[in-house]
């Protein structure tokens, strides 16, 4: 989402990447209030000219952190640095004027840098260029006049001029050093304006909503969608089916068929939590979101050959970090995608059941997807509706029992997977259900069965 | 004054030296000193470093670049702070070079500067575009061929070539070598159709067959001669986004499908062919054309080589002029 943000200065983009996630509900609320003001202004066609003007000005915003540090440490600035300071001070003044006329002036405080401008613009020309002006020193003015009149380059004259210029620079730098904080604040304020403009445009472009900050710890999304997947689907002339989901401080288990969008739901929830805390528009129709201190997203597909970790080991380590964090006081959102999927189903089921119990604590909102039939407990269960009339319904519905859907074969079939494989699997299932035999023993049955079906002419896997 | 009247007809000009010490800076200063600054605005930059007081390679004395009052110039931060004139800083760009960002300033007095500039074609183009707001009539780019720079002087509308004894100490040889470069600069612009077709291709070698179909020859490097010509009966046009080298030419010249092919390169600086091979290709019915071309206005010569060798200026100018059909000047003698 940050990549899709149309900021007009690289600095604004860097600012958001450098910011720590805000975890204070008041800050998040204030940021949304400011964004709302921008959103309303941007949405009003009458403001278009002024906004273009503002964006044009913000294109000129440059990061001058190094120069400001020099100023604060009372170094003597060179001409280029003085130019940068003047440029920023003038830009801040110009942006303030536009902000006032858009009636956005009150939402963001831009320090008044007129004094900086007047120090660097002694002749009041209001042009954003800079040199050591004649009016800084009468002697300099005289020397320059002499130099211009001469045809040849006068080394002595030039070196006297240079030393006067150096004195002027030192004096200017001293005068300006007390404005270092204001300059830094102005630079940040301009980047913040740029960021809010970009966020407002992003909201319109992706049809995002303003969330409310939840007070009871419950997070509720109505019509949640994933902007990236939605875009990709729309390019293929298909639509994204939004989902509704509520999370509270109790584990939520999502079961459902393969390709039912479970992982997409987890990814979207993760994205939304970050978007919310960083004050972006939320991809949903309505959203009421609880503030969290930390977000954990374990997708379980992180085997690392370099580190000598198998998929299972990598996953266990990630989940272990969540459990350790859950023992503290910080509020966590943990999103875990199909834990223990790479081990045997028996132990896997036990691990998942136990994980739900361990993470059933006040400060953790857990959302987990699984294919395992885990025993009923206090957790809420959501199920992707699944295959209906030959197409997938991605809606999430609450289910009472722990029964997981058995649609893997149907889905594999719809993907056009080899028929022999699917049919044999189906046969094994029928046999194991009817004889109540464990699947692991079914290879022996497979051979008997394969002789009695239409596929019997072909050889079974173990024959 | 030779060629100044011709020069001011164009909006940009590159001054290109064929080797170090061929008098490029002399040519540049000559031009800068004679342009009618009272009725036109000039901006100056470079592709790489220039204006050192001593040559960085041979340690021989070199003239600095002298600017007149009112001239705009783009140079690096480091060189800006070493300027020997009073100037007004008008812009600091995001364009980075090894000597810092590119800054643009206007000279308020006459004086000397060290010149450096953007080191890529894109950077140079951005700088040129940024100059539009100052209503510049002529942009002059100091551009060396021998210099390791990705920016090409061929992005300018016009060009002045500087050559001299430093390039070759034998008049006949010098004239031949220079004439070949002039031939390359004067290569025809390819057709409008081809320019549109190849404009957005930035990598690889591409062939157009007789049915006007475009094929990627899957060439990974200009130095590689592995080309995939499957499905091409005869190649009408060959577009090379990179360099055209002897090795590549040698490889395709004898192949039947490349008989009477037109090879299109982005500009003449991408051609690294020996004259013999080029002539053999042309004699066989082949043709080389360019996507971008500058108008060559004049050739200047410096008859003095850094090792002290001095050629006969008059004879050099005369022989050269006859060979290339263009005015040739020894600027040291023009005053």
């Amino acid at each position: 989402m940050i990549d899709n943000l149309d900021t007009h200065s690289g600095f604004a983009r860097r600012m958001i990447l450098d910011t720590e996630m805000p975890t204070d509900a008041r800050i998040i609320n204030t940021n949304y209030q400011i964004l709302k003001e921008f959103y309303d202004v941007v949405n009003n066609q009458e403001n278009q000219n002024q906004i273009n003007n503002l964006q044009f000005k913000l294109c000129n915003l440059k990061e001058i952190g190094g120069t400001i540090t020099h100023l604060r440490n009372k170094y003597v600035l060179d001409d280029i640095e003085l130019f940068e300071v003047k440029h920023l001070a003038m830009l801040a003044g110009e942006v303030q004027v536009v902000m006032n006329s858009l009636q956005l002036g009150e939402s963001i405080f831009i320090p008044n840098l007129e004094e900086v401008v007047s120090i660097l613009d002694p002749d009041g020309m209001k042009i954003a260029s800079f040199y050591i002006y004649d009016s800084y020193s009468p002697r300099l003015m005289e020397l320059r006049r002499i130099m211009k009149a001469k045809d040849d380059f006068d080394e002595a004259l030039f070196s006297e001029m240079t030393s006067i210029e150096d004195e002027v620079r030192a004096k200017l730098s001293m005068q300006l050093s007390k404005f270092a904080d204001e300059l830094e604040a102005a630079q940040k304020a301009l980047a913040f304006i740029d960021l809010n403009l970009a966020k407002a445009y992003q909201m319109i472009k992706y049809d995002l909503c303003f969330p409310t900050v939840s007070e009871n710890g419950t997070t509720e999304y109505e019509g949640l969608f994933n902007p990236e997947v939605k875009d990709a689907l729309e390019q293929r002339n298909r639509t994204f089916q939004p989902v509704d989901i509520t999370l509270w401080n109790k584990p939520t288990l999502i079961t459902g068929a393969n390709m039912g969008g479970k992982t997409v739901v987890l990814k979207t929830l993760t994205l939304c939590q970050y978007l919310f805390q960083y004050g972006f528009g939320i991809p949903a129709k309505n959203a009421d979101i609880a503030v969290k201190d930390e977000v954990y997203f374990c997708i379980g597909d992180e085997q690392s050959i370099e580190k000598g970790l198998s998929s299972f080991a990598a996953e266990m380590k990630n989940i272990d970090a969540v459990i350790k964090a859950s023992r503290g006081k910080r509020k966590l959102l943990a999103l875990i995608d199909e834990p223990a999927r790479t081990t045997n189903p028996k132990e896997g089921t036990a691990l998942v059941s136990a994980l739900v119990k361990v993470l059933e604590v006040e400060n953790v909102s857990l959302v987990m997807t699984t294919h395992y039939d885990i025993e009923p407990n206090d957790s809420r269960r959501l199920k992707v509706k699944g295959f209906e009339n030959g197409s997938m319904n991605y809606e999430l519905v609450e289910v009472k029992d722990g029964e997981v859907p058995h649609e893997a074969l149907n889905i594999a079939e719809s993907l056009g997977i080899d028929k022999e494989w699917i049919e044999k699997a189906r046969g094994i299932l029928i046999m194991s259900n009817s004889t109540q035999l464990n699947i692991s023993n079914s290879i022996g049955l497979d051979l008997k069965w394969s002789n009695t079906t239409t596929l019997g002419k072909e050889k079974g896997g173990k024959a | 004054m030779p060629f100044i009247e011709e020069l001011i007809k164009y909006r940009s000009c590159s001054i290109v030296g064929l080797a170090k010490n061929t008098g490029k800076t002399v040519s540049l200063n000559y031009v800068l000193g004679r342009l009618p600054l009272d009725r036109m605005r000039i901006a100056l930059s470079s592709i790489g470093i220039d204006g050192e007081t001593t040559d960085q390679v041979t340690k021989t004395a070199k003239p600095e670049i002298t600017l007149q009052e009112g001239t705009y110039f783009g140079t690096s931060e480091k060189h800006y702070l070493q300027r020997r004139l009073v100037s007004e800083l008008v812009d600091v760009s995001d364009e980075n070079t090894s000597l810092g960002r590119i800054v643009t300033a206007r000279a308020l007095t006459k004086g000397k500067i060290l010149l450096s500039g953007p080191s890529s074609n894109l950077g140079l183009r951005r700088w040129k575009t940024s100059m539009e707001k100052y209503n510049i009539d002529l942009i002059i780019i100091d551009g060396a061929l021998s210099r390791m720079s990705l920016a090409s002087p061929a992005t300018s509308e016009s060009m002045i070539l500087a050559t001299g004894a430093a390039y070759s100490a034998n008049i006949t040889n010098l004239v031949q070598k220079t004439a070949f470069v002039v031939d390359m600069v004067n290569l025809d612009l390819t057709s409008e159709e081809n320019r549109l077709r190849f404009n957005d291709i930035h990598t690889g070698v591409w062939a157009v067959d007789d049915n006007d179909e475009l094929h990627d020859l899957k060439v990974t490097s200009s130095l590689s001669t592995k080309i995939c010509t499957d499905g091409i009966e005869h190649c009408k046009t060959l577009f090379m986004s990179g360099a055209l080298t002897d090795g590549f030419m040698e490889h395709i010249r004898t192949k039947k499908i490349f008989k009477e092919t037109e090879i299109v390169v982005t500009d003449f600086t991408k051609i690294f062919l020996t004259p013999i091979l080029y002539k053999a290709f042309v004699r066989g019915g082949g043709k080389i054309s360019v996507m971008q071309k500058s108008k060559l206005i004049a050739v200047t010569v410096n008859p003095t080589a850094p090792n002290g060798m001095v050629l006969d200026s008059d004879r050099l100018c005369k022989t050269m002029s006859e060979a290339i059909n263009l005015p040739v000047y020894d600027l040291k003698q023009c005053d």
Side-chain angles (χ1 to χ4, degrees):
Chain A
M1 288 299 268
I2 289 178
D3 282 345
N4 287 326
L5 208 57
D6 288 327
T7 52
H8 289 84
S9 62
F11 179 52
R13 181 175 298 249
R14 244 192 54 200
M15 190 169 85
I16 186 137
L17 293 174
D18 286 349
T19 314
E20 283 210 7
M21 182 171 83
T23 52
D24 184 337
R26 274 171 311 175
I27 293 176
I28 295 172
N29 245 326
T30 319
N31 282 344
Y32 273 120
Q33 275 164 19
I34 293 171
L35 178 57
K36 182 83 174 72
E37 286 176 36
F38 274 84
Y39 183 78
D40 292 341
V41 164
V42 165
N43 248 338
N44 186 344
Q45 279 302 318
E46 286 171 24
N47 293 329
Q48 221 45 56
N49 279 342
Q50 290 279 37
I51 294 199
N52 289 348
N53 187 4
L54 187 58
Q55 286 172 328
F56 178 71
K57 291 198 185 305
L58 289 171
C59 287
N60 292 318
L61 175 62
K62 300 213 166 112
E63 213 262 89
I64 63 162
T67 304
I68 294 174
T69 309
H70 286 172
L71 209 52
R72 189 172 286 135
N73 296 341
K74 301 201 170 18
Y75 291 173
V76 175
L77 302 191
D78 63 36
D79 283 9
I80 297 169
E81 291 173 315
L82 289 169
F83 171 85
E84 288 178 325
V85 169
K86 182 176 177 183
H87 187 81
L88 175 64
M90 287 186 69
L91 188 66
E94 288 166 21
V95 168
Q96 182 74 69
V97 173
V98 187
M99 290 287 280
N100 287 345
S101 74
L102 284 169
Q103 293 176 334
L104 278 169
E106 276 171 34
S107 52
I108 293 169
F109 172 71
I110 305 175
N112 187 338
L113 294 172
E114 263 169 39
E115 209 180 324
V116 174
V117 176
S118 65
I119 291 172
L120 293 173
D121 187 15
D123 304 330
M125 297 201 292
K126 301 278 174 222
I127 307 171
S129 63
F130 180 76
Y131 71 105
I132 302 297
Y133 293 97
D134 290 359
S135 41
Y136 285 128
S137 152
R139 175 75 185 142
L140 187 64
M141 190 193 292
E142 196 189 326
L143 291 177
R144 279 180 178 164
R145 221 186 45 237
I146 298 170
M147 185 183 163
K148 272 193 184 185
K150 282 194 177 180
D151 268 347
D152 294 329
F153 187 76
D154 186 330
E155 194 68 57
L157 195 65
F158 188 75
S159 74
E160 193 185 345
M161 272 167 54
T162 311
S163 66
I164 297 175
E165 285 184 4
D166 285 343
E167 281 165 28
V168 173
R169 281 186 202 106
K171 207 174 114 206
L172 291 176
S173 304
M174 276 312 288
Q175 284 176 318
L176 291 171
S177 65
K178 63 172 187 252
F179 293 102
D181 292 336
E182 272 102 332
L183 282 164
E184 192 171 2
Q187 173 171 270
K188 282 196 173 143
L190 297 188
F192 191 61
I193 292 170
D194 190 6
L195 198 58
N196 273 293
L197 270 181
K199 281 179 181 176
Y201 274 107
Q202 190 180 51
M203 289 191 72
I204 296 168
K205 187 173 167 197
Y206 290 99
D207 203 9
L208 310 179
C209 79
F210 281 100
T212 48
V213 179
S214 162
E215 276 156 18
N216 57 9
T218 313
T219 294
E220 208 172 334
Y221 294 101
E222 192 188 314
L224 180 69
F225 64 91
N226 185 303
E228 194 187 346
V229 180
K230 191 181 173 191
D231 259 13
L233 283 174
E234 274 167 5
Q235 272 168 23
R236 283 181 276 157
N237 279 328
R238 290 164 60 188
T239 50
F240 187 93
Q241 185 184 345
V243 296
D244 300 343
I245 187 169
T246 307
L247 317 173
W248 55 77
N249 292 347
K250 239 181 198 183
T252 304
L253 293 184
I254 303 179
T255 59
N258 299 77
M259 290 183 66
K262 298 189 298 297
T263 307
V264 172
V265 168
L266 286 196
K267 281 190 173 169
T268 314
L269 288 172
T270 315
L271 173 71
C272 286
Q273 194 67 36
Y274 282 119
L275 289 177
F276 166 68
Q277 307 216 202
Y278 279 104
F280 285 67
I282 301 294
K285 218 160 120 203
N286 281 308
D288 183 44
I289 306 173
V291 181
K292 301 288 174 195
D293 296 316
E294 279 172 75
V295 181
Y296 284 89
F297 179 51
C298 309
I299 196 160
D301 203 9
E302 290 162 67
Q303 70 170 313
S304 160
I305 296 170
E306 297 88 41
K307 289 190 204 150
L309 282 181
S310 70
S311 324
F312 182 72
E315 183 181 35
M316 286 298 118
K317 282 196 172 282
N318 280 337
I319 297 176
D320 185 55
V322 180
I323 296 174
K324 293 230 162 74
S326 76
R327 304 228 161 99
K329 286 224 162 82
R330 293 165 72 77
K331 283 186 249 156
L332 316 182
L333 173 66
L335 304 118
I336 307 177
D337 193 26
E338 294 182 37
R341 72 175 114 176
T342 51
T343 189
N344 68 70
K346 220 169 169 179
E347 281 182 289
T349 310
L351 277 169
V352 175
S353 304
L355 180 61
V356 173
K357 289 208 175 83
V358 171
L359 289 179
E360 201 172 352
V361 282
E362 191 59 33
N363 56 333
V364 181
S365 287
L366 170 71
V367 187
M368 191 167 83
T369 60
T370 187
H371 283 296
Y372 292 145
D373 276 314
I374 69 167
E375 55 185 86
N377 51 28
D378 283 349
S379 60
R380 287 172 67 238
R381 280 148 195 270
L382 300 174
K383 174 177 177 279
V384 178
K385 258 199 172 166
F387 239 40
E388 280 181 352
N389 310 325
S391 67
M392 186 60 85
N393 187 342
Y394 296 95
E395 201 180 310
L396 289 171
V397 286
E398 195 144 349
V399 285
K400 290 278 171 320
D401 54 22
E403 181 75 358
V404 292
H406 298 107
E407 291 177 297
L409 294 184
N410 288 340
I411 290 161
E413 201 165 29
S414 78
L415 285 172
I417 304 299
D418 189 81
K419 277 214 172 61
E420 181 188 350
W421 184 18
I422 309 283
E423 284 308 323
K424 284 199 169 152
R426 194 161 277 150
I428 292 170
L429 273 178
I430 294 166
M431 292 304 277
S432 71
N433 284 345
S434 60
T435 57
Q436 294 293 307
L437 273 173
N438 197 318
I439 288 177
S440 58
N441 292 333
S442 67
I443 289 155
L445 293 169
D446 175 34
L447 286 173
K448 285 181 222 158
W449 163 77
S450 64
N451 290 332
T452 59
T453 59
T454 48
L455 292 161
K457 284 167 215 146
E458 295 155 42
K459 281 188 175 174
K462 283 270 175 177
Chain B
M1 271 178 287
F3 69 78
I4 297 294
E5 285 308 313
E6 176 74 10
L7 175 63
I8 59 178
K9 289 180 193 162
Y10 299 93
R11 293 213 322 277
S12 57
C13 177
S14 288
I15 299 186
V16 178
L18 289 187
K20 283 204 158 284
N21 296 297
T22 50
K24 176 166 58 75
T25 310
V26 173
S27 303
L28 187 58
N29 278 333
Y30 176 87
V31 168
L32 289 175
R34 278 159 189 79
L35 284 167
L37 292 177
D38 48 335
R39 54 188 170 92
M40 65 188 298
R41 274 192 180 189
I42 313 283
L44 177 70
S45 192
S46 156
I47 51 170
I49 317 169
D50 205 351
E52 311 95 332
T53 42
T54 51
D55 191 299
Q56 297 289 353
V57 179
T58 55
K59 299 287 172 206
T60 46
K62 277 185 66 178
E64 289 169 297
I65 291 168
T66 308
L67 293 191
Q68 303 295 324
E69 189 183 331
T71 305
Y72 283 79
F73 60 99
T75 190
S76 64
E77 281 181 90
K78 187 171 177 232
H79 283 162
Y80 183 72
L81 297 177
Q82 295 172 10
R83 71 202 181 280
R84 290 154 73 75
L85 46 69
V86 182
S87 62
E88 178 181 24
L89 194 55
V90 295
D91 189 36
V92 177
S93 78
D94 292 329
E95 211 71 59
N96 254 306
T97 71
S98 50
L99 296 172
R101 290 167 294 179
I102 299 297
V103 301
T104 307
R106 187 168 66 100
L108 296 173
T109 61
K110 189 180 162 177
K112 288 172 178 174
I113 56 157
L114 295 172
L115 199 59
S116 40
S119 51
S120 71
N121 264 344
L122 192 66
L124 190 62
R125 207 173 306 141
R126 272 199 291 258
W127 182 79
K128 281 183 177 174
T129 314
S130 77
M131 295 312 291
E132 278 169 13
K133 57 176 175 281
Y134 307 115
N135 297 320
I136 303 294
D137 299 298
L138 175 66
I139 294 179
I140 298 175
I141 301 297
D142 169 283
L145 274 188
S146 54
R147 190 166 285 156
M148 294 291 280
S149 170
L150 292 170
S152 161
T155 48
S156 293
E157 286 180 9
S158 65
M159 190 182 297
I160 294 170
L161 271 188
T163 185
Y167 193 40
S168 172
N170 170 311
I171 289 189
T172 319
N173 196 0
L174 174 60
V175 168
Q176 261 176 18
K177 279 169 84 177
T178 306
F180 181 62
V181 177
V182 170
D183 281 346
M184 294 298 108
V185 177
N186 284 334
L187 282 173
D188 288 339
L189 209 56
T190 188
S191 67
E192 176 82 39
E193 187 196 346
N194 279 345
R195 266 179 287 155
L196 282 174
R197 197 201 308 254
F198 304 133
N199 199 23
D200 295 324
I201 303 179
H202 301 291
T203 51
V205 178
W206 300 73
V208 177
D209 65 16
D210 290 339
N211 303 323
D212 264 342
E213 262 175 60
L214 193 63
H215 301 266
D216 184 358
L217 298 188
K218 305 202 168 73
V219 177
T220 45
S221 149
S222 307
L223 301 175
S224 143
T225 48
K226 260 195 200 143
I227 55 174
C228 159
T229 52
D230 299 347
I232 309 171
E233 228 165 80
H234 175 251
C235 169
K236 190 172 70 174
T237 316
L238 188 70
F239 174 66
M240 309 208 49
S241 59
L244 173 56
T245 60
D246 272 356
F248 190 85
M249 180 61 100
E250 198 76 82
H251 183 71
I252 66 161
R253 204 167 56 91
T254 49
K255 289 212 162 38
K256 221 177 179 174
I257 70 160
F258 294 110
K259 204 169 155 47
E260 295 179 5
T261 291
E262 175 188 352
I263 299 180
V264 182
V265 292
T266 47
D267 63 62
F268 83 94
T269 60
K270 301 292 189 300
I271 302 174
F272 295 87
L273 294 179
T274 43
I276 296 173
L277 215 50
Y278 169 71
K279 276 171 191 144
F281 177 67
V282 174
R283 225 177 290 123
K287 184 186 173 187
I288 299 179
S289 60
V290 292
M291 297 279 286
Q292 208 163 36
K293 178 180 175 169
S294 309
K295 166 80 181 157
L296 185 60
I297 297 174
V299 172
T300 65
V301 291
N302 174 13
T304 311
N307 59 11
M309 159 99 194
V310 183
L311 300 174
D312 178 345
S313 171
D314 292 340
R315 197 160 72 87
L316 175 60
C317 287
K318 191 166 167 281
T319 328
M320 182 84 80
S321 189
E322 278 164 9
I324 63 176
N325 260 326
L326 263 175
V328 176
Y329 308 96
D330 177 357
L331 296 176
K332 285 261 159 114
Q333 308 221 327
C334 274
D335 291 322

